[in-house]
Amino acid sequence: MYLTDKKLKFGIQNGLNVARAGYTEDQILTACMLADKTGYDSIFYMDHTNVPQWKNAIVLDPWVMLSAIAAVTNNVELGTCVTDAIRRHPSNIALAAITLDRVSKGRAILGIGAGEAQNLKEFCIPFEKPVSKWEEQIETIHTLYKSTPDNTVDYEGKYYKLEGACLQAPPIRKPHPPTYMASGGKRTLALTGKLGDGWLPIGYTPELFEDHAAQIKKSMDENNRTQEEKDNFQYALDIDVYFSEDAEESWARMKEAVKVSLFKPEVLRVHNLKEIEGFDFVKYFTEYSMSNQEWIVKMREAATKIPEAVARSSTAVGTPDDIIPTFERFMDAGVNHFVIRFWGKNYFGSIDKFASHVMPALREKAKQ
């Protein structure tokens, strides 16, 4: 089993929040040690190549950083949020996940998605058939997890192939590090139910989370997943938290950015919002990167039409008492593992404040 209990979990995300603030490696490690000591369950690290819209951001490799974090922590699970199935061969990802699992004494999680143009376009890496490649990559990784020199493995796919292949470092976690899949479309959600041990989306309202979780559960049934697999499945969520003494003032400053992060067809569908005419979502997410200012402006203008209440339900802003109801709504929607991006100037203080004032209240609710 992957989990020893069914408790509600909380983690921190070293993502765009940390990169944009320009935190050094030492500051990141200090934050992770604080999270480990104050009762968090997990630490995740983003996998981006660059974020050119923020020229002073520091963007680091997640696998190297997670190994460094493993050396200074004892309790938290450690995962990518998320790596992608385009830039690396599955044998590389499988071995990286196993290596992280071994150096962390069995705490690794593989968070993986199908990729995005932001990490590919400027590096001239083709972004073709990403979902099909993603499915084959996860199947290849899971096949390699079972391999040994005495038990070599084969895999025959359209994009990936193994012939008598093996890895020579068995994972500590059994049967292998869990796979958290980042998905948000009908096909990728079905694959998450088929192949995943967890789900890790970002930019969600409670209503959208509930809708998509139901699709994953349906797929698990259709793919004859065991009851143990269903019980241990992690319905995680990457969620933004901004502590402030004046929630209204803070929300006024950040609402435009939140609406942009939410702007996607599935949000419009679930909330019965008319699609914004003239905006090509598929083209944006598959062809245009964050360095294309023209498309960023188009997206920002269209996203302003998302209603205030819908946007605000996705983000936790204000005092601990202000943000607890936001988390409770997501818990009611099925979230059992929150991965938090803390925004604002006092990163360390936010980690401590959430652990002291929010986690106990939410864990108490989870017991009820």
Side-chain angles (χ1 to χ4, degrees):
M1 288 178 62
Y2 293 118
L3 307 175
T4 56
D5 57 62
K6 305 276 177 45
K7 73 175 183 178
L8 181 66
K9 290 188 173 186
F10 298 95
I12 65 168
Q13 223 278 60
N14 294 282
L16 296 176
N17 56 330
V18 169
R20 186 177 185 179
Y23 290 124
T24 65
E25 302 77 44
D26 287 343
Q27 288 173 311
I28 292 168
L29 292 175
T30 299
C32 292
M33 286 189 282
L34 176 62
D36 189 51
K37 290 176 180 176
T38 52
Y40 288 84
D41 302 284
S42 61
I43 291 172
F44 285 82
Y45 212 102
M46 77 170 185
D47 189 3
H48 280 292
T49 308
N50 58 17
V51 283
Q53 68 274 32
W54 299 324
K55 300 189 188 310
N56 295 322
I58 296 175
V59 181
L60 303 168
D61 181 84
W63 295 104
V64 177
M65 283 302 298
L66 286 167
S67 289
I69 294 165
V72 297
T73 58
N74 298 302
N75 307 303
V76 285
E77 296 176 281
L78 303 168
T80 45
C81 187
V82 294
T83 199
D84 69 59
I86 299 292
R87 290 178 289 150
R88 298 177 176 89
H89 190 274
S91 61
N92 175 269
I93 292 179
L95 187 56
I98 288 174
T99 302
L100 178 61
D101 195 55
R102 290 171 68 92
V103 300
S104 68
K105 304 295 189 290
R107 294 185 279 139
I109 293 170
L110 171 60
I112 188 167
E116 60 182 319
Q118 180 175 349
N119 294 312
L120 304 171
K121 185 185 177 188
E122 289 83 1
F123 301 93
C124 302
I125 300 171
F127 193 34
E128 300 162 351
K129 304 293 184 184
V131 178
S132 297
K133 289 179 180 177
W134 189 46
E135 179 177 16
E136 284 194 12
Q137 178 153 127
I138 294 169
E139 290 177 345
T140 304
I141 290 168
H142 287 177
T143 300
L144 284 168
Y145 281 152
K146 303 171 188 173
S147 68
T148 69
D150 294 324
N151 179 36
T152 60
V153 294
D154 300 319
Y155 180 83
E156 184 73 42
K158 186 175 181 180
Y159 305 101
Y160 298 103
K161 185 176 181 180
L162 302 174
E163 291 182 348
C166 75
L167 300 178
Q168 291 187 239
I172 291 175
R173 206 163 187 180
K174 302 303 178 187
H176 53 71
T179 304
Y180 285 27
M181 297 171 68
S183 55
K186 188 173 182 180
R187 189 175 166 201
T188 56
L189 291 165
L191 287 175
T192 302
K194 177 183 177 182
L195 300 172
D197 305 301
W199 174 43
L200 183 49
I202 187 171
Y204 268 58
T205 63
E207 291 83 359
L208 182 59
F209 193 94
E210 190 169 24
D211 181 283
H212 282 185
Q215 293 184 49
I216 291 172
K217 290 173 183 175
K218 182 173 181 286
S219 174
M220 294 181 86
D221 289 337
E222 292 171 348
N223 287 283
N224 300 313
R225 300 293 296 272
T226 67
Q227 190 60 46
E228 183 180 40
E229 288 172 329
K230 294 177 183 178
D231 289 344
N232 289 329
F233 192 90
Q234 291 288 282
Y235 292 92
L237 175 69
D238 194 331
I239 184 172
D240 291 331
V241 169
Y242 189 101
F243 279 120
S244 167
E245 291 305 312
D246 189 332
E248 297 307 317
E249 180 187 357
S250 298
W251 173 249
R253 290 201 309 268
M254 64 194 298
K255 63 182 179 181
E256 180 181 295
V258 172
K259 288 184 179 184
V260 170
S261 70
L262 274 181
F263 189 57
K264 47 196 172 190
E266 288 292 279
V267 168
L268 303 182
R269 175 184 67 80
V270 168
H271 290 278
N272 298 312
L273 304 173
K274 188 177 184 296
E275 280 202 36
I276 312 301
E277 294 180 5
F279 194 88
D280 190 333
F281 283 101
V282 173
K283 203 169 185 181
Y284 178 83
F285 286 112
T286 59
E287 295 185 20
Y288 296 92
S289 67
M290 296 300 278
S291 60
N292 188 311
Q293 290 299 315
E294 179 187 349
W295 273 80
I296 292 172
V297 170
K298 284 182 180 179
M299 190 173 188
R300 187 176 293 127
E301 290 174 349
T304 58
K305 299 177 183 179
I306 293 177
E308 196 91 349
V310 171
R312 190 153 181 175
S313 71
S314 71
T315 305
V317 186
T319 66
D321 286 341
D322 290 328
I323 74 171
I324 285 173
T326 302
F327 279 83
E328 289 177 334
R329 285 193 292 275
F330 276 111
M331 288 166 64
D332 291 339
V335 178
N336 59 15
H337 192 160
F338 289 100
V339 180
I340 301 158
R341 293 194 303 184
F342 290 109
W343 295 87
K345 294 180 180 179
N346 191 357
Y347 186 49
F348 303 102
S350 294
I351 291 170
D352 186 58
K353 182 182 288 188
F354 190 90
S356 300
H357 300 289
V358 181
M359 288 199 310
L362 296 176
R363 284 191 167 136
E364 188 60 35
K365 175 182 169 59
K367 293 176 184 177
Q368 295 173 3

